[in-house]
Amino acid sequence: MKKTSSAKPPFKAGRQPKGPLRVGLISLGCAKNLVDAEIMLGSLLKNGVEITNDAAQADAVIVNTCSFIDSAQEESVDTILESVELRDANQRGQAVIVSGCLPQRFREELPKLMPEVDAFMGIDQVAQVGDIVNKALKNRAGKMDKEGKHSTSNIQHSISKGKISAQLNELEKGRAIDDRENEPALRGTEKFGKTKTVVGSQSAIGNRQSAIFDVTQRPTFIPDFATPRFRLTPKHFAYVKIAEGCNHPCSFCIIPRMRGSHRSRQQSDIVLEAKALIADGVKELNLISQDSTYFGLDLRPAQSSGTGVSPVRFEGSGQARSPQKHTGETPVPLLRPSRAISSPEKFSAAVKSLPADATTICTLLRELNSLKGDFWIRLLYTHPAHWTDELIQTIAACKKVARYVDMPLQHIHENMLERMRRETSQQYIVDLVKRIRAGVPGIALRTTFIVGFPGETEQSFATLLDFIRDTKFERLGVFTYSKEDGTRAGAMAGQLSDKVKQKRRELAMAAQHKVAVHVSESFVGREIKVLVEGEANAKQLQGANVSSWEHGLIRETDRHTGQMKGHYFVGRGEADAPDIDGRVYIRGKVPVGDFARVKIIGHTDYDLIGEPAV
């Protein structure tokens, strides 16, 4: 989870503040959400807005929310209402704006449950945040004029935090379960970019003025190189969003409803971004999407329109039209609508039918690898159903692609894979892991598993434990199943108790702990390339638990790091992605934000200890 805070002295209702507008932002959730936050900040800065980390000094505060699982949703609700409370206590003219997955998931209901919020915006609106902020401020001033200058003690919030979360869960129970895999993609149809739903919530909030509401029903936005962006990551690494949305029908997941169907960026546009980042000193390009292995499959050209001129869509506009004069837009061929290609068999057939010059994740990796400079390319969020022999060969041949794969498997027992609708069999996964390791010697495999899924028996869990012990994943995280109403799994029989789920996570982490110690031990005596992050602080040396909404519990308390004394630098090897994997602690001076050769002289349970190589 990432939190980034950014929000001049209080101003009277109905008046605009003097000087530049100040906006604060709190971003929750995954790296993909962080990129959305970076786009919002970039767009605001382009409009002359000043960004502040002090919410009390902001004219407007944006809360960029996550709604991936219950705990993430609860944190989002808590953060929104905490922001409202701070506003009401310190600066009642401040506008509070909610963006991200929560309003995307609860488009119709959220304005009714949270009338204190001044504006709601969706994923498609991140680049239009400046206009939304201005509208929210006017909306807030109108509310202030109606309410009068009441003291903070007279402000009554509509519903408590816990009740809002509970009501959102109840709302999901009444919804029809999505059947996305049988739905054609909007991309390439007249509906692309035309699914906005405006909800009037006046009747739900009495005499209060309605919030600004700008959320599309089914997102279609894709950022491009021309989209303003202010990076929130350290100078030496960046996240590069290569696609948005997801076509998979996983029974436990709500993401396709919130993020829409898979839509890839143009490869040439991604390369432009990569070149700019490398020129700016970035040493690690982390490629992210919901399914990076599906990249390019939706970029198959459409048939001619019959006029001799192929229609095009302009990147970032979401609109299809014939070529014409334009400024600052990238023309993109209009794409034919197609049904989801999810299973390994369908995906393999689709890849084989592609023309020789088609865009795929392999062509992207090869072109990025050809760029000048000393940098890593890290492939995150791959799906096991979409791996090909060509991808394995491409990673092996591209020296700048980190010997690292992020491939969430979720389970291994046949019945669990079927119930999860993962489209991969146990034997397919076992064979795939062998193929990857044989094709790319020394590669680090990261995966995640879900324990306590509905219907998971002692036998199916035992099969998972055996798989963890036998396969020896270099990096592994474990989720306890989170019941999401509105998903197929949420309605399944055989729901397990929290006690059982927690116990199984502990057992899975214990099994992985033994593997992790063995993996760390195998590095001792080796010399590796490390990207130096900075000087290690006391918190890092204490080795606290590490977890994330996307990767589950990744590591438990490391009993050895707390015993480390002295001055260390901290970095990451090829096997370590930002925030979620292991660390390399280095005794001796090394260049921060750059690569260093490090000899490994020791290890803790999860981390390595080294010194600069002579």
Side-chain angles (χ1 to χ4, degrees):
M1 178 208 66
K2 289 269 186 186
K3 270 195 180 183
T4 304
S5 298
S6 36
K8 207 165 175 177
F11 59 96
K12 294 181 180 179
R15 291 182 58 189
Q16 291 296 315
K18 296 178 180 179
L21 196 68
R22 290 184 181 178
V23 173
L25 186 144
I26 303 167
S27 189
L28 307 169
C30 66
K32 296 176 285 291
N33 220 32
L34 183 69
V35 172
D36 291 345
E38 292 177 336
I39 291 171
M40 285 190 278
L41 292 176
S43 299
L44 290 168
L45 288 167
K46 184 179 179 181
N47 290 334
V49 174
E50 184 177 311
I51 306 302
T52 177
N53 286 323
D54 184 359
Q57 295 300 308
D59 300 312
V61 170
I62 302 169
V63 181
N64 192 32
T65 60
C66 177
S67 189
F68 179 44
I69 56 177
D70 273 351
S71 52
Q73 186 168 289
E74 288 169 8
E75 184 188 38
S76 292
V77 170
D78 288 351
T79 304
I80 294 166
L81 295 186
E82 285 166 6
S83 297
V84 168
E85 290 167 3
L86 286 172
R87 184 266 308 279
D88 290 346
N90 300 317
Q91 188 188 167
R92 294 190 53 242
Q94 183 185 83
V96 173
I97 301 160
V98 175
S99 65
C101 289
L102 196 65
Q104 199 68 60
R105 183 174 180 178
F106 298 101
R107 291 181 303 277
E108 299 183 13
E109 299 89 356
L110 213 57
K112 303 171 186 177
L113 292 174
M114 294 183 166
E116 304 91 345
V117 173
D118 301 291
F120 296 91
M121 56 183 286
I123 292 163
D124 280 356
Q125 288 69 46
V126 291
Q128 286 79 51
V129 64
D131 290 338
I132 293 172
V133 167
N134 286 325
K135 290 176 182 177
L137 283 168
K138 291 179 181 178
N139 190 58
R140 182 65 189 163
K143 287 182 180 180
M144 295 284 288
D145 288 340
K146 281 192 173 185
E147 292 174 357
K149 300 176 184 177
H150 300 306
S151 65
T152 303
S153 61
N154 289 332
I155 299 295
Q156 296 294 322
H157 298 303
S158 58
I159 310 176
S160 70
K161 298 175 187 178
K163 287 184 178 180
I164 289 180
S165 295
Q167 287 199 22
L168 292 178
N169 290 333
E170 285 300 315
L171 288 167
E172 282 288 17
K173 290 179 181 179
R175 287 181 171 175
I177 296 168
D178 278 359
D179 195 19
R180 292 291 187 197
E181 73 272 23
N182 293 321
E183 236 177 73
L186 288 182
R187 192 165 189 171
T189 72
E190 292 184 357
K191 291 183 179 180
F192 189 85
K194 299 178 181 178
T195 56
K196 180 182 289 188
T197 300
V198 179
V199 178
S201 54
Q202 181 71 34
S203 60
I205 58 176
N207 294 325
R208 294 195 181 205
Q209 186 158 324
S210 297
I212 303 302
F213 188 89
D214 199 350
V215 183
T216 51
Q217 182 179 1
R218 193 170 168 192
T220 59
F221 174 74
I222 319 168
D224 60 17
F225 178 57
T227 306
R229 183 176 169 192
F230 178 79
R231 282 203 294 122
L232 296 169
T233 54
K235 186 177 177 65
H236 56 274
F237 79 83
Y239 292 107
V240 179
K241 187 183 284 190
I242 65 173
E244 182 60 275
C246 182
N247 290 347
H248 287 284
C250 301
S251 64
F252 52 83
C253 187
I254 202 76
I255 287 174
R257 184 198 296 176
M258 296 187 295
R259 289 277 173 176
S261 299
H262 180 99
R263 48 206 187 273
S264 304
R265 288 174 61 184
Q266 294 293 309
Q267 179 168 314
S268 58
D269 189 70
I270 297 170
V271 173
L272 283 176
E273 180 180 348
K275 287 180 177 178
L277 290 169
I278 294 164
D280 196 37
V282 167
K283 296 294 182 181
E284 181 181 56
L285 304 173
N286 293 278
L287 308 186
I288 61 173
S289 68
Q290 301 298 339
D291 176 5
S292 296
T293 36
Y294 198 83
F295 174 77
L297 264 289
D298 59 320
L299 294 178
R300 294 163 288 167
Q303 300 295 322
S304 170
S305 62
T307 62
V309 179
S310 294
V312 299
R313 179 180 61 76
F314 289 91
E315 195 70 58
S317 70
Q319 301 296 320
R321 57 185 189 271
S322 297
Q324 55 185 295
K325 291 183 179 180
H326 60 90
T327 57
E329 295 177 299
T330 304
V332 179
L334 184 62
L335 310 167
R336 67 168 178 261
S338 60
R339 293 189 181 278
I341 306 169
S342 299
S343 70
E345 296 78 18
K346 290 180 181 178
F347 186 78
S348 179
V351 170
K352 289 177 181 177
S353 70
L354 292 174
D357 61 348
T359 295
T360 66
I361 188 62
C362 297
T363 63
L364 176 61
L365 290 175
R366 288 194 289 265
E367 186 167 2
L368 292 176
N369 185 75
S370 71
L371 299 180
K372 294 181 180 180
D374 185 15
F375 59 93
W376 280 335
I377 304 160
R378 190 177 297 279
L379 185 59
L380 299 169
Y381 306 101
T382 73
H383 193 287
H386 293 165
W387 273 79
T388 62
D389 288 338
E390 184 188 6
L391 178 55
I392 295 171
Q393 294 160 8
T394 298
I395 294 173
C398 294
K399 301 307 179 185
K400 292 176 183 176
V401 177
R403 271 40 188 167
Y404 173 97
V405 162
D406 171 40
M407 183 174 64
L409 297 174
Q410 313 304 8
H411 218 283
I412 192 59
H413 190 273
E414 204 71 63
N415 185 48
M416 289 295 97
L417 291 170
E418 290 177 5
R419 289 172 69 84
M420 290 180 175
R421 306 185 86 195
R422 290 293 291 167
E423 304 163 306
T424 51
S425 68
Q426 178 176 340
Q427 192 59 52
Y428 172 87
I429 292 171
V430 171
D431 292 343
L432 176 60
V433 170
K434 289 179 179 177
R435 284 166 49 210
I436 293 172
R437 283 180 164 164
V440 191
I443 194 167
L445 296 182
R446 147 162 289 290
T447 194
T448 53
F449 291 116
I450 299 174
V451 297
F453 190 81
E456 184 186 55
T457 63
E458 291 287 352
Q459 181 184 358
S460 55
F461 176 65
T463 301
L464 175 60
L465 281 182
D466 288 341
F467 184 63
I468 291 172
R469 296 186 188 109
D470 295 342
T471 310
K472 296 179 172 57
F473 289 96
E474 286 77 10
R475 304 287 184 261
L476 185 146
V478 181
F479 279 109
T480 54
Y481 168 70
S482 174
K483 182 175 180 288
E484 298 301 309
D485 294 313
T487 64
R488 290 177 182 271
M492 285 181 179
Q495 301 286 335
L496 303 182
S497 69
D498 288 342
K499 183 178 180 180
V500 169
K501 289 189 282 189
Q502 184 62 36
K503 180 62 176 178
R504 290 183 180 179
R505 182 168 76 166
E506 291 171 1
L507 291 171
M509 286 304 299
Q512 178 60 21
H513 179 265
K514 294 179 181 178
V515 174
V517 172
H518 176 74
V519 169
S520 296
E521 188 177 53
S522 71
F523 276 86
V524 176
R526 293 170 53 185
E527 185 179 307
I528 65 172
K529 187 177 183 179
V530 173
L531 181 56
V532 183
E533 304 266 29
E535 295 186 41
N537 56 42
K539 184 177 181 181
Q540 289 171 320
L541 292 177
Q542 288 170 0
N545 292 10
V546 177
S547 62
S548 78
W549 300 138
E550 294 181 296
H551 301 280
L553 182 61
I554 298 160
R555 57 193 284 169
E556 297 178 297
T557 301
D558 193 320
R559 53 200 169 91
H560 296 298
T561 48
Q563 301 170 17
M564 293 170 61
K565 306 297 181 183
H567 184 263
Y568 291 85
F569 285 84
V570 63
R572 293 182 287 108
E574 278 192 80
D576 307 310
D579 297 328
I580 60 173
D581 288 321
R583 311 174 183 107
V584 181
Y585 293 98
I586 309 157
R587 294 194 306 205
K589 191 168 180 60
V590 283
V592 174
D594 208 342
F595 292 114
R597 300 296 301 182
V598 174
K599 183 177 180 180
I600 304 305
I601 60 173
H603 68 92
T604 68
D605 292 351
Y606 296 96
D607 301 318
L608 304 178
I609 302 170
E611 58 188 17
V614 178

